[in-house]
Amino acid sequence: KSIEYYEERAAELGAAASDWTNLMVFLSDGVPNIRGDGDDEDWCNPQNNAINCNNAPPNKNTGSGVDPWLRGELSYCFSGDVGCNQTIYKPCVLGRTCESSEMVKSFDSEFARLDEFNVHRIAVGVGGGSDVSVDSALYRIDNNPNKLR
């Protein structure tokens, strides 16, 4: 939704949008637990408790230049998928087996879109158990050049 906000704002402002500097603040515990948006992320745990995630329905690929989540390529357990809880493959894409794995920290396409809109990202850990360590999700999200290393 945040990317859509900047797209709509850019459409409204036209060329003037390039003069704006935008700020986005992320508040999180820094422990992501759901596989991404169709950036060809792998399964969180391909051999999860006798469920072979490699047998799960593949993402549909139309080869379009439109982002996967906009063209409806994700087959299941995508944002807003009410049927996700009923699929046996749910542990392949979200939950404890996915927490902080590489598959749930893949934000490249989102970062690229936000960079197009000159969005500066600040990530803030909320709560005592927040993961703000180097290479955590919050660390990756924050593009402040002066962040602690």
Side-chain angles (χ1 to χ4, degrees):
K1 291 292 181 185
S2 58
I3 292 172
E4 291 174 10
Y5 166 79
Y6 290 111
E7 288 172 338
E8 291 169 5
R9 189 164 151 212
E12 289 173 9
L13 294 173
S18 63
D19 294 335
W20 286 65
T21 299
N22 299 294
L23 176 65
M24 181 178 284
V25 178
F26 293 79
L27 303 174
S28 173
D29 64 0
V31 185
N33 65 358
I34 187 165
R35 189 178 74 118
D37 59 3
D39 289 335
D40 294 321
E41 295 96 343
D42 202 356
W43 304 115
C44 295
N45 186 354
Q47 299 296 327
N48 183 345
N49 298 329
I51 299 170
N52 187 345
C53 298
N54 295 318
N55 293 334
N59 288 340
K60 299 171 264 177
N61 189 340
T62 59
S64 168
V66 179
D67 294 325
W69 61 91
L70 291 177
R71 62 181 183 255
E73 285 189 3
L74 302 180
S75 298
Y76 67 95
C77 289
F78 49 88
S79 178
D81 183 358
V82 295
C84 184
N85 286 327
Q86 283 73 45
T87 180
I88 62 168
Y89 298 111
K90 176 182 171 183
C92 301
V93 295
L94 64 94
R96 290 222 177 263
T97 59
C98 295
E99 279 186 6
S100 296
S101 68
E102 196 59 34
M103 295 74 185
V104 299
K105 295 191 296 184
S106 177
F107 308 123
D108 294 343
S109 66
E110 294 86 353
F111 291 163
R113 293 292 290 143
L114 292 172
D115 289 347
E116 288 177 28
F117 299 111
N118 198 24
V119 176
H120 298 269
R121 303 180 308 267
I122 296 177
V124 178
V126 178
S130 296
D131 184 1
V132 294
S133 63
V134 172
D135 204 41
S136 68
L138 285 175
Y139 190 87
R140 289 183 184 190
I141 290 169
D142 194 317
N143 67 347
N144 175 0
N146 297 317
K147 66 184 169 187
L148 298 176
R149 299 197 189 277

